[in-house]
Amino acid sequence: LSGMLDTEVRIGTVDLGFLNRIIIDDVQVYDRKHNEALHAARIAVKIDLASLLDNKIAISSAQVFGTHIKLYQASKDSDLNVRFIIDALSSKDDKKEKKPLDLRINTFIMQHSSISYDCYDVAPTPHKFNPSHIDINDISAHISVKALKKDSLDVIVKKLSFKEQSGLNLTRLAFHINANNNRACLQKFYLKMPGTELRFNDITATYRMDNSKPVEGSLRFNGSTAVSSITLSDFAFLLPTLRYFDDKWTIAAAVNGSDKNINIHKLSINSHSGVFDMDAKGYISDFDAKPRWAIAVSNISFTPEMSARIGKCLNKDGVAILPRLGHIQMSGNAESDGRVTQAEISLSTGQAGDIAANF
């Protein structure tokens, strides 16, 4: 490996199990600046040897423990520190006919692992997710790859959890995705964060493929949420001011559409504390031309407490008047045909009475 990669590779011990099992402990791979790019406490793989005779890769189990990967670039235009490893492992003969991928992994388990990436010419943003500075820790995964071929995919993620330095805390992610050249289905989707439990009913999509690319206009999809709740402060890693919204909200949604439009048949958000409620529906169409959209809001209501939180979130002095208006309730419609936007809004407050406006 050291000779092939032209870098330093260290391996502690190798244990060859009966016929088809191998265990490697204390693996270290360094980049060409002599920094440790990979350290794995243990890698264990059990392979179905019979499948290799049929040009298939069938792994009964793969286990990775205590693996730490460090990736970095000096700038966006420079090579990744492990690019030379990727190049060394890639096929050098482009003219040689490549055998189609046929991979199956019954059980893949990863525990106590981490991965980091830094682009050194981009400034960090503490407490906010930054794709140029990623530091993921406490990775735990249990995944089953039932099929991975050129024209099909069948993957079950039984559990994926990790923490990221920005404050993202994924307690559990689970789903089953099955796709081929004509149809894809996402089933049993479940996402859990400290204050969030998001569930989807089956999300399905149909399409046509031509030379491994979707045919324009062929996509159709639909999906809806099951009983779900979110806490916006869980997403403060994207927008730090969301830390002010620490109560739990129930959410329900149903959508369908195509590659040119999205129809939102239902969007309902209700806070458990009663500070905010919303019921709406709408659509967006003509993505590739002049977008058209419409929204119909049957109810938006929020209390002075919610108004104060919005003011903190927006950090605008003018918003400070909202809490003085008392309980605010609105309904209305808005639409745009790509050129003109029109809106009709009815507003009722605890202080100012009813207001109607047209724009």
Side-chain angles (χ1 to χ4, degrees), residues 174-187:
F175 60 85
H176 179 192
I177 184 167
N178 192 317
N180 54 37
N181 280 335
N182 304 110
R183 185 177 185 272
C185 183
L186 180 66
Q187 300 174 300

Side-chain angles (χ1 to χ4, degrees), residues 100-351:
L101 177 66
D102 191 343
L103 172 67
R104 185 177 77 248
I105 304 175
N106 285 340
T107 303
F108 172 78
I109 295 176
M110 173 182 279
Q111 291 183 345
H112 309 301
S113 298
S114 68
I115 182 170
S116 67
Y117 164 75
D118 289 289
C119 184
Y120 291 132
D121 69 340
V122 178
T125 54
H127 309 298
K128 184 177 181 180
F129 180 76
N130 186 336
S132 296
H133 298 280
I134 299 172
D135 190 359
I136 301 174
N137 295 285
D138 298 334
I139 301 174
S140 178
H142 186 178
I143 300 171
S144 177
V145 181
K146 298 297 184 183
L148 180 57
K149 303 179 182 180
K150 181 180 179 180
D151 58 356
S152 63
L153 170 71
D154 189 352
V155 176
I156 300 174
V157 176
K158 298 181 180 180
K159 178 187 178 183
L160 174 63
S161 63
F162 59 81
K163 296 178 181 178
E164 208 276 330
Q165 64 178 354
S166 60
L168 168 60
N169 184 356
L170 184 63
T171 307
R172 183 181 179 186
L173 174 64
F175 60 85
H176 179 192
I177 184 167
N178 192 317
N180 54 37
N181 280 335
N182 304 110
R183 185 177 185 272
C185 183
L186 180 66
Q187 300 174 300
K188 299 179 181 179
F189 180 93
Y190 176 69
L191 182 147
K192 181 173 175 57
M193 300 170 73
T196 297
E197 287 190 80
L198 186 59
R199 294 178 172 88
F200 287 130
N201 296 316
D202 291 357
I203 299 176
T204 60
T206 59
Y207 42 82
R208 296 196 312 275
M209 302 290 289
D210 184 17
N211 293 326
S212 301
K213 293 182 179 181
V215 176
E216 184 178 357
S218 67
L219 174 65
R220 299 290 185 274
F221 67 88
N222 67 80
S224 62
T225 62
V227 178
S228 299
S229 61
I230 64 172
T231 300
L232 290 181
S233 58
D234 285 342
F235 301 90
F237 66 92
L238 297 174
L239 183 63
T241 50
L242 289 178
R243 67 183 184 275
Y244 298 117
F245 300 90
D246 56 359
D247 53 339
K248 188 170 291 189
W249 298 5
T250 298
I251 182 170
V255 301
N256 70 5
S258 68
D259 49 0
K260 296 183 182 297
N261 65 80
I262 297 176
N263 301 307
I264 304 171
H265 299 286
K266 177 181 181 180
L267 178 60
S268 177
I269 303 174
N270 306 101
S271 66
H272 291 196
S273 60
V275 298
F276 181 83
D277 294 291
M278 184 182 80
D279 291 288
K281 60 182 180 179
Y283 71 83
I284 306 173
S285 64
D286 299 330
F287 294 145
D288 54 350
K290 292 182 178 180
R292 298 170 58 91
W293 59 267
I295 182 171
V297 180
S298 57
N299 174 60
I300 294 181
S301 64
F302 48 93
T303 65
E305 179 186 351
M306 185 65 180
S307 299
R309 294 186 194 178
I310 294 174
K312 286 183 178 180
C313 182
L314 297 178
N315 196 24
K316 300 290 185 180
D317 294 336
V319 185
I321 193 175
L322 289 178
R324 303 177 192 172
L325 297 177
H327 189 104
I328 297 175
Q329 187 168 9
M330 292 187 294
S331 62
N333 302 286
E335 63 179 337
S336 171
D337 63 0
R339 297 171 300 160
V340 179
T341 299
Q342 297 178 325
E344 297 179 2
I345 300 174
S346 297
L347 176 107
S348 176
T349 76
Q351 302 293 330

